[in-house]
């Protein structure tokens, strides 16, 4: 099977209809191209996105970090990766993973950057939910537990003494099974 290079029109179709958002920036760090998928995602025109117009859609909480990463990589001419929220055409901010790479001519002259973005919103939301669940789990039985040295009851937040199982079950998802350890069996039930 012979490999035929793409024609310019085939290449254009490939770039425009790729399932990712593609952008390009010139040597001034201003963006001079966005593929059709990007424009469909943002619901904006090429003219609105050109230069730094695209940054109008970046979530305000992510803007400065996004700009620092982008411009820092530009100055150093290095690959960068970042996550940020971008306003989608329907008015919802979506988390994107953006990877940019510097472009050089065959002679080594820097000519800008190209990059691609993938919508990772569900992945970020799942990661945050997992983090919150983990923090909640860690905080359930954190701290000192006031335990009676004699009967092993626990003093709860209202000052009442309850069985340790009741206290732990109300502050965690632990279940209990009861049995008798070998030492107690020997001391309390020697005939069994």
């Amino acid at each position: 099977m012979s490999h035929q290079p793409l024609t310019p029109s085939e290449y254009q179709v490939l770039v425009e209809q790729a399932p990712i958002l593609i952008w390009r920036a010139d040597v001034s760090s201003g963006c001079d191209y966005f593929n059709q998928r990007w424009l469909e995602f943002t619901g904006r025109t090429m003219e609105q996105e050109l230069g730094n117009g695209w940054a109008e859609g970046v979530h305000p909480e992510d803007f400065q970090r996004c700009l620092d990463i982008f411009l820092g990589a530009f100055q150093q001419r290095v690959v960068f990766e970042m996550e940020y929220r971008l306003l989608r055409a329907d008015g919802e901010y979506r988390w994107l993973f953006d990877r940019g790479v510097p472009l050089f001519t065959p002679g080594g002259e820097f000519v800008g950057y190209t990059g691609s973005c993938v919508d990772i919103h569900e992945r970020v939301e799942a990661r945050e939910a997992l983090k919150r669940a983990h923090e909640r789990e860690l905080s359930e039985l954190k701290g000192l537990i006031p335990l009676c040295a004699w009967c092993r009851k626990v003093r709860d937040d209202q000052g009442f003494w309850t069985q340790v199982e009741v206290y732990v079950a109300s502050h965690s998802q632990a279940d209990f099974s009861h049995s008798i350890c070998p030492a107690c069996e020997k001391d309390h039930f020697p005939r069994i």
Side-chain angles (χ1 to χ4, degrees):
M1 178 180 209
S2 67
H3 176 275
Q4 296 293 324
L6 294 176
T7 66
S9 62
E10 290 172 326
Y11 182 76
Q12 183 178 2
V13 168
L14 179 71
V15 170
E16 292 300 324
Q17 296 184 17
I20 57 175
L21 313 179
I22 298 174
W23 57 268
R24 184 181 65 197
D26 60 24
V27 294
S28 73
S29 79
C31 288
D32 62 0
Y33 170 78
F34 297 90
N35 73 343
Q36 187 61 38
R37 293 286 187 239
W38 178 288
L39 299 176
E40 289 169 0
F41 182 90
T42 62
R44 292 169 46 106
T45 66
M46 182 72 75
E47 291 72 26
Q48 290 173 310
E49 297 293 87
L50 291 176
N52 294 319
W54 68 273
E56 294 172 8
V58 175
H59 192 284
E61 292 176 9
D62 302 333
F63 180 79
Q64 191 59 53
R65 179 182 47 79
C66 182
L67 190 63
D68 291 345
I69 292 170
F70 181 71
L71 293 177
F74 229 87
Q75 290 172 352
Q76 298 175 38
R77 313 279 198 259
V78 295
V79 174
F80 70 85
E81 294 179 347
M82 62 180 165
E83 294 178 4
Y84 59 92
R85 290 165 285 184
L86 187 66
L87 190 61
R88 193 169 62 182
D90 64 2
E92 179 183 351
Y93 281 100
R94 301 286 294 182
W95 281 100
L96 298 181
F97 173 77
D98 190 344
R99 185 171 201 273
V101 296
L103 296 173
F104 298 94
T105 65
E109 178 187 355
F110 174 69
V111 293
Y113 265 76
T114 188
S116 62
C117 301
V118 178
D119 186 331
I120 58 165
H121 193 77
E122 283 77 18
R123 186 182 327 163
V124 171
E125 293 290 309
R127 184 175 64 210
E128 289 301 313
L130 186 60
K131 180 181 172 186
R132 287 190 302 273
H134 183 67
E135 288 169 355
R136 203 170 35 251
E137 185 178 286
L138 288 175
S139 70
E140 283 180 342
L141 279 176
K142 200 185 304 185
L144 294 174
I145 298 175
L147 184 67
C148 174
W150 184 257
C151 71
R152 303 290 190 241
K153 288 185 180 177
V154 177
R155 188 177 66 233
D156 65 19
D157 298 336
Q158 289 78 39
F160 297 106
W161 291 91
T162 60
Q163 295 294 326
V164 70
E165 297 92 336
V166 173
Y167 181 86
V168 171
S170 68
H171 288 79
S172 72
Q173 295 180 9
D175 291 323
F176 292 90
S177 66
H178 290 87
S179 61
I180 299 172
C181 72
C184 287
E185 182 181 339
K186 182 179 173 188
D187 290 347
H188 301 287
F189 304 97
R191 295 182 213 191
I192 294 181

